[in-house]
Amino acid sequence: MIDLHTHTFLSDGVLGPAELAQRASVAGYHALGMTDHVDGGTLEPTLTTLQRACESLCGHLPLAIIAGVEITHVPPDAIAQTVIKARDLGTNLIVMHGESPVEPVAKGTNRAAIEADIDLLAHPGLIDRAMVVRAVERGIYLELSARAGHSLGNGRLVALAREVGALNYLVVSSDAHGPDDLLTSSFRRTVCLCAGLSDKETDLVERNACALLKKVIR
Ligand SMILES: [Zn+2]
Ligand SMILES: [Zn+2]
């Protein structure tokens, strides 16, 4: 199992990086991305701490652990520079906290994120058709969220992705903030099927996660 969007207590998760990694390992994960919430001010201390934590775990657990960030509630016109700074700090996993239907994320966030050098747009909510097309052009993956609330937009995203031929860019992530949020294979499939994907398309979405992981561990 590959899950590239989770949180530790370096933002609003409840577990430290080592415990999250251990629990993910026991849950059968093959790859875990730790992507704590950051903004322009918290980016550097949070990411560098996560990077140190991941380095200290490297080789001790049977899964790939990737230190990333979830850029969160940064004003749209400051997203591009925050992404550049994150890349400069050495991360290959940049998630953007998209325009969730359950939070007052600034309008224009999805657009600004897709035009920046991110890897995954999380819970894009009321994303429109043109933005899905643009994400594909830019090679940016779009998240089907397993998290309550954020997942309200999953059905819309699947419908648009199917319409424009973007199913290859959908991935499921847990957005785990605690141990009970980590994915299981069966729940992952349930998220896909409930969003309107067929069995075959659900298999495709699982393969998409491998493609995204390859990009991230380049
Ligand atoms: Zn988020
Ligand atoms: Zn998140």
Side-chain angles (χ1 to χ4, degrees):
M1 193 136 43
I2 297 166
D3 182 3
L4 298 177
H5 176 186
T6 68
H7 297 275
T8 76
F9 60 34
L10 293 172
S11 59
D12 59 351
V14 300
L15 303 176
E19 183 170 355
L20 181 61
Q22 169 63 13
R23 285 181 179 265
S25 172
V26 169
Y29 275 42
H30 301 105
L32 171 71
M34 298 190 196
T35 53
D36 277 302
H37 297 289
V38 297
D39 56 28
T42 59
L43 169 61
E44 184 161 5
T46 306
L47 178 55
T48 53
T49 305
L50 267 181
Q51 286 167 326
R52 279 201 300 272
C54 290
E55 276 164 31
S56 74
L57 295 166
C58 183
H60 297 285
L61 290 171
L63 76 169
I65 308 166
I66 301 116
V69 290
E70 182 179 15
I71 298 174
T72 305
H73 285 281
V74 166
D77 62 1
I79 287 172
Q81 68 195 58
T82 309
V83 170
I84 289 169
K85 194 173 168 195
R87 290 284 181 220
D88 286 347
L89 289 166
T91 185
N92 284 334
L93 175 56
I94 300 180
V95 178
M96 182 74 213
H97 185 87
E99 294 177 42
S100 170
V102 293
E103 277 180 32
V105 178
K107 201 165 165 43
T109 293
N110 287 344
R111 177 184 295 274
I114 286 168
E115 294 302 334
D117 180 27
I118 66 162
D119 300 296
L120 173 63
L121 178 59
H123 46 73
L126 284 172
I127 189 167
D128 63 25
R129 192 178 188 279
M131 283 297 100
V132 175
V133 170
R134 187 68 182 139
V136 171
E137 284 171 3
R138 307 246 325 120
I140 292 166
Y141 286 79
L142 300 165
E143 179 189 78
L144 296 172
S145 179
R147 189 158 181 79
H150 291 330
S151 60
L152 288 169
N154 288 353
R156 176 189 178 86
L157 180 57
V158 163
L160 288 173
R162 188 180 282 125
E163 199 180 305
V164 305
L167 292 175
N168 284 353
Y169 284 87
L170 299 184
V171 295
V172 174
S173 42
S174 69
D175 200 354
H177 285 66
D180 297 338
D181 300 333
L182 289 170
L183 290 171
T184 62
S185 297
S186 67
F187 189 61
R188 186 188 185 100
R189 288 195 77 81
T190 299
V191 169
C192 291
L193 295 170
C194 287
L197 291 167
S198 67
D199 275 316
K200 209 171 157 188
E201 289 166 341
T202 296
D203 294 339
L204 169 67
V205 167
E206 296 199 9
R207 291 197 298 277
N208 296 343
C210 297
L212 174 57
L213 177 64
K214 276 184 194 148
K215 183 182 171 207
V216 162
I217 59 175
R218 62 187 183 266

